[in-house]
């Protein structure tokens, strides 16, 4: 079903002031909600005329269940449910809803059984192949369009220059500002090529912090000069090249707001002053999720946070939990002309989102072929030489795997090669599969496995292939290995490509986009 939206000059005359305020709210929608919860959101949409929804997997997902006490229920019908809910919520709305989602590496970030593309850190390893990054942004956008989603809240342009960052890390293109900027621009161009909206985040830069803003307020103590030269560089340059929206993070940066250290999401100095006036951004500003504890715990009065976020300069209030009270506070406190200005920006964005667009057959490419190309271009020989790999095959080796993965095609195939060759217990080929991509709890690698791995590095000639977040190498003295090869993803295509590398059929073309700190043991 096609939903049409009136031009701004007509809409502004049709909507009452309170309805215009409602258009600034984007509460969360959950794919695995109960019927009662669905009806409650339908009522919210109809009663308060909210402008859009941001979809999440469930109320037990990482974005909502920060302490991890609720169990996430697997739902293989998530995509079907998503499409059904979008249609249902659209039908409940007086004015068409702007539908958004975090699809940084595809819908799979939130939805089971949908295409997953490589993480940004993997794309950051690719050299001089911006057409591939364009295709990733394009293909993710195609998947979004097919599902009924207008707005991909991506890409992340944070420069991840803190290896202990618990929340950005693999979501960043790396630690080099030029690489991050170029990858982001290419991704955005791909997104725009099929009529999907883009968003850069998390302004002014969430990379250099060891605090997760879902849980606490990160404090960044760098000078404004240092931030302008590095962290703010990708934002400034991406804005120049064209992006639909900027998401402001919950970050305390005293140097940017006259020493006050107010969270950026509620700082007019940072949003109105820095982002609007200094960086000349004219598009939509969206807050990071207002349910996050870094700010939500600061305002126990319902509606106060929503008002503060509006007053600071946010146009869209993402994951607002107190819509009714927030609308009332804005109505009581805001100048009508300011409401009109925000409404105009948001409505223009919706006009753009609902512009007719038909996917051509050529744009509906084969995802697997793209992933194969990304695997070829990203594989990184971090230490050692190809000669070491050749020696292993000549002398014989034993293959071991550590960690967990849904498939271990590299380890299985390499073990068969080892079985056919000479027996040599001193040469050990190790495939490391970190169970989790996030660094908490040592990526969920068992302590005894890390100890065994470290022992082998010291006592044997080890060639190590890593199929996961390369920051896992911070946990071991990886330089004790004869060679380390980073495969980044445990996708079958990446493992097959790594096996071709071990077999001497291809060379590694990628460059690690972050610095690994050698662990002191």
């Amino acid at each position: 079903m096609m939903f049409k939206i009136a031009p701004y000059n007509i809409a502004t005359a049709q909507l009452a002031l309170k309805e215009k305020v409602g258009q600034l709210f984007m509460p969360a929608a959950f794919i695995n909600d109960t019927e009662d919860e669905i009806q409650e959101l339908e009522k919210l949409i109809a009663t308060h005329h909210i402008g859009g929804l941001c979809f999440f997997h469930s109320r037990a997902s990482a974005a909502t269940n920060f302490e991890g006490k609720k169990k996430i229920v697997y739902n293989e019908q998530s995509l079907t449910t998503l499409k059904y809910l979008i249609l249902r919520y659209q039908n409940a709305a007086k004015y068409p809803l702007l539908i958004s989602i975090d699809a940084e590496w595809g819908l799979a970030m939130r939805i089971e059984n949908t295409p997953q593309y490589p993480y940004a850190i993997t794309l950051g390893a690719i050299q001089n192949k911006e057409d591939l990054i364009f295709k990733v942004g394009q293909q993710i956008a195609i998947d979004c369009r097919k599902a009924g989603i207008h707005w991909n809240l991506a890409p992340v342009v944070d420069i991840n220059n803190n290896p202990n960052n618990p929340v950005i890390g693999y979501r960043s293109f790396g630690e080099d500002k030029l690489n991050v900027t170029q990858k982001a621009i290419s991704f955005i161009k791909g997104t725009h090529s099929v009529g999907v909206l883009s968003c850069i985040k998390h302004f002014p830069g969430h990379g250099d912090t060891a605090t997760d803003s879902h849980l606490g307020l990160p404090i960044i103590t760098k000078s404004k000069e240092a931030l302008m030269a590095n962290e703010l560089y990708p934002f400034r340059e991406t804005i120049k090249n064209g992006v639909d929206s900027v998401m402001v993070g919950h970050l305390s940066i005293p140097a940017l707001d006259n020493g006050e250290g107010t969270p950026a999401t509620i700082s007019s100095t940072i949003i109105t002053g820095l982002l609007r006036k200094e960086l000349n951004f004219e598009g939509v500003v969206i807050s990071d999720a207002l349910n996050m504890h870094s700010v939500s715990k600061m305002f126990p009065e319902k509606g106060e946070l929503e008002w503060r976020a509006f007053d600071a300069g946010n146009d869209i209030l993402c994951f607002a939990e107190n819509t009714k009270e927030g609308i009332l506070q804005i109505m009581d406190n805001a100048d009508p002309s300011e409401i009109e200005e925000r409404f105009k920006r948001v409505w223009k964005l919706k006009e753009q989102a609902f512009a007719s667009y038909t996917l051509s057959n050529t744009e509906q490419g084969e995802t697997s072929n793209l992933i194969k190309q990304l695997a070829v271009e990203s594989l990184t020989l971090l230490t050692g030489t190809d000669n070491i790999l050749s020696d292993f095959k000549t002398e014989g080796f034993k293959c071991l795997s550590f960690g967990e993965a849904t498939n271990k095609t590299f380890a299985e195939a390499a073990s068969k090669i080892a079985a056919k060759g000479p027996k040599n217990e001193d040469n050990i080929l190790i495939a490391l599969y970190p169970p989790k991509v996030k660094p908490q709890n040592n990526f969920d690698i068992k302590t005894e496995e890390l100890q065994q791995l470290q022992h082998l590095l010291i006592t044997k000639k080890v060639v190590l292939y890593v199929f996961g977040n390369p920051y896992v190498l911070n946990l071991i003295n990886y330089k004790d290995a004869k060679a380390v090869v980073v495969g980044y993803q445990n996708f079958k295509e990446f493992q097959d490509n790594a096996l071709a590398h071990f077999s001497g059929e291809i060379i590694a073309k990628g460059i690690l986009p972050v610095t690994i700190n050698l662990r002191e043991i």
Side-chain angles (χ1 to χ4, degrees):
M1 181 181 291
M2 291 292 294
F3 294 92
K4 294 185 178 181
I5 192 161
Y8 165 73
N9 62 336
I10 296 175
T12 190
Q14 288 180 340
L15 274 72
L17 189 64
K18 191 172 183 180
E19 290 179 321
K20 291 177 179 179
V21 176
Q23 289 295 301
L24 312 181
F25 282 74
M26 181 172 274
F30 302 96
I31 296 164
N32 290 294
D33 262 356
T34 64
E35 178 60 27
D36 285 347
E37 289 165 335
I38 293 168
Q39 290 183 19
E40 186 177 343
L41 183 52
E42 285 177 320
K43 184 178 179 181
L44 185 75
I45 292 167
T47 304
H48 298 292
H49 308 295
I50 62 173
L53 297 173
C54 186
F55 269 88
F56 295 85
H57 179 269
S58 65
R59 296 171 189 266
S61 64
T64 53
N65 174 33
F66 309 129
E67 292 80 11
K69 295 176 182 177
K70 301 175 186 175
K71 184 178 180 181
I72 297 175
V73 178
Y74 179 84
N75 179 1
E76 63 180 21
Q77 299 300 320
S78 280
L79 182 58
T80 301
T81 304
L82 171 67
K83 293 177 180 178
Y84 163 75
L85 288 176
I86 288 175
L87 184 61
R88 189 164 165 179
Y89 291 139
Q90 289 286 20
N91 287 331
K94 182 177 179 181
Y95 311 106
L97 297 165
L98 186 62
I99 305 297
S100 71
I101 199 167
D102 293 295
E104 295 166 20
W105 56 88
L107 293 178
M109 184 169 172
R110 299 288 187 227
I111 308 165
E112 295 95 338
N113 293 329
T114 55
Q116 179 176 348
Y117 301 84
Y119 298 124
I121 197 170
T122 308
L123 303 181
I126 296 173
Q127 305 298 302
N128 304 315
K129 292 285 182 178
E130 296 309 318
D131 59 314
L132 290 180
I133 313 303
F134 175 97
K135 288 178 182 177
V136 173
Q138 181 183 63
Q139 195 61 50
I140 292 174
I142 289 171
D143 295 342
C144 286
R145 286 198 70 94
K146 289 179 179 178
I149 294 166
H150 312 108
W151 193 6
N152 184 7
L153 301 178
V156 169
V157 298
D158 301 320
I159 296 172
N160 200 79
N161 44 13
N162 188 331
N164 297 317
N165 196 315
V167 68
I168 303 300
Y170 66 100
R171 298 166 62 192
S172 164
F173 293 114
E175 65 186 21
D176 178 77
K177 66 181 182 182
L178 299 177
N179 186 36
V180 170
T181 302
Q182 186 56 61
K183 294 292 191 299
I185 290 171
S186 298
F187 186 99
I188 290 166
K189 286 180 178 178
T191 303
H192 288 170
S193 72
V194 291
V196 170
L197 304 172
S198 60
C199 178
I200 53 174
K201 57 188 185 185
H202 305 81
F203 186 82
H206 203 319
D208 193 6
T209 171
T211 301
D212 182 348
S213 56
H214 290 91
L215 300 171
L217 182 64
I219 300 174
I220 298 172
T221 58
K222 291 182 176 180
S223 68
K224 183 175 181 179
E225 291 73 22
L227 293 165
M228 290 294 286
N230 200 49
E231 278 82 355
L232 284 163
Y233 180 89
F235 290 97
R236 182 172 68 244
E237 296 305 310
T238 307
I239 287 169
K240 288 179 184 177
N241 277 271
V243 66
D244 301 301
S245 61
V246 174
M247 178 180 286
V248 181
H250 306 308
L251 304 160
S252 173
I253 311 178
L256 297 182
D257 72 342
N258 304 316
E260 293 183 12
T262 304
T265 29
I266 54 173
S267 169
S268 61
T269 305
I270 290 176
I271 297 175
T272 305
L274 176 60
L275 180 57
R276 290 287 187 208
K277 295 179 181 177
E278 289 190 52
L279 301 188
N280 299 312
F281 180 63
E282 297 179 351
V284 166
V285 176
I286 177 173
S287 73
D288 205 347
L290 295 180
N291 71 314
M292 293 164 66
H293 289 177
S294 50
V295 292
S296 63
K297 289 188 174 181
M298 296 173 62
F299 300 97
E301 181 187 345
K302 289 184 176 182
E304 178 68 15
L305 174 57
E306 286 78 6
W307 156 245
R308 289 288 300 275
F310 171 90
D311 191 43
N314 291 283
D315 300 309
I316 291 181
L317 309 178
C318 184
F319 211 139
E321 293 190 297
N322 303 297
T323 298
K324 176 183 176 181
E325 295 85 356
I327 290 173
L328 290 174
Q329 288 232 20
I330 292 170
M331 290 290 292
D332 287 343
N333 294 296
D335 188 297
S337 64
E338 187 62 35
I339 292 173
E340 183 65 33
E341 182 182 337
R342 309 295 178 83
F343 168 71
K344 182 177 182 178
R345 274 197 290 264
V346 171
W347 198 269
K348 289 287 186 181
L349 189 71
K350 294 179 81 165
E351 284 187 62
Q352 188 179 335
F354 284 91
S356 60
Y357 189 94
T358 303
L359 292 174
S360 68
N361 291 331
T362 56
E363 288 171 339
Q364 302 188 47
E366 173 55 52
T367 298
S368 182
N369 288 334
L370 173 57
I371 291 176
K372 287 176 183 176
Q373 294 178 65
L374 297 168
V376 168
E377 297 298 333
S378 61
L379 188 74
T380 301
L381 180 63
L382 181 59
T383 66
T385 65
D386 291 327
N387 292 336
I388 298 293
L389 309 182
S390 178
D391 291 345
F392 260 52
K393 293 191 293 291
T394 303
E395 299 169 3
F397 65 94
K398 181 179 180 181
C399 182
L400 299 174
S401 71
F402 291 86
E404 300 173 5
T406 52
N407 68 76
K408 295 186 175 184
T409 52
F410 175 87
E412 291 165 359
S415 294
K416 291 177 181 177
I417 295 172
K420 295 176 182 177
K423 306 303 176 188
N424 187 333
E425 295 289 328
D426 288 328
N427 290 344
I428 308 293
L429 174 65
I430 295 177
L432 177 58
Y433 300 95
K436 296 288 179 63
V437 70
K438 293 183 179 180
Q440 289 91 340
N441 194 33
N442 290 338
F443 300 89
D444 274 5
I445 300 173
K446 297 175 183 176
T447 301
E448 53 269 30
E449 283 194 308
L450 281 175
Q451 292 172 343
Q452 185 183 358
L453 175 55
Q454 187 59 56
H455 177 74
L456 289 170
L457 287 169
I458 297 170
T459 60
K460 303 289 184 179
K461 291 171 62 178
V462 172
V463 168
L464 175 63
Y465 278 76
V466 179
F467 299 102
N469 190 334
Y471 277 122
V472 72
L473 293 170
N474 281 327
L475 303 179
I476 57 174
N477 276 346
Y478 70 91
K479 290 189 177 180
D480 287 334
K482 298 303 177 185
V484 175
V485 183
V486 183
Y488 300 98
Q489 310 286 155
N490 61 21
F491 303 168
K492 183 179 184 298
E493 295 90 343
F494 277 73
Q495 293 193 54
D496 289 347
N497 182 68
L499 186 68
H501 177 258
F502 178 70
S503 301
E505 299 169 18
I506 62 169
I507 61 170
K509 299 180 180 180
I511 296 177
L512 192 70
V514 295
T515 299
I516 303 298
N517 296 327
L518 192 61
R519 182 186 180 193
E520 295 294 333
I521 295 183

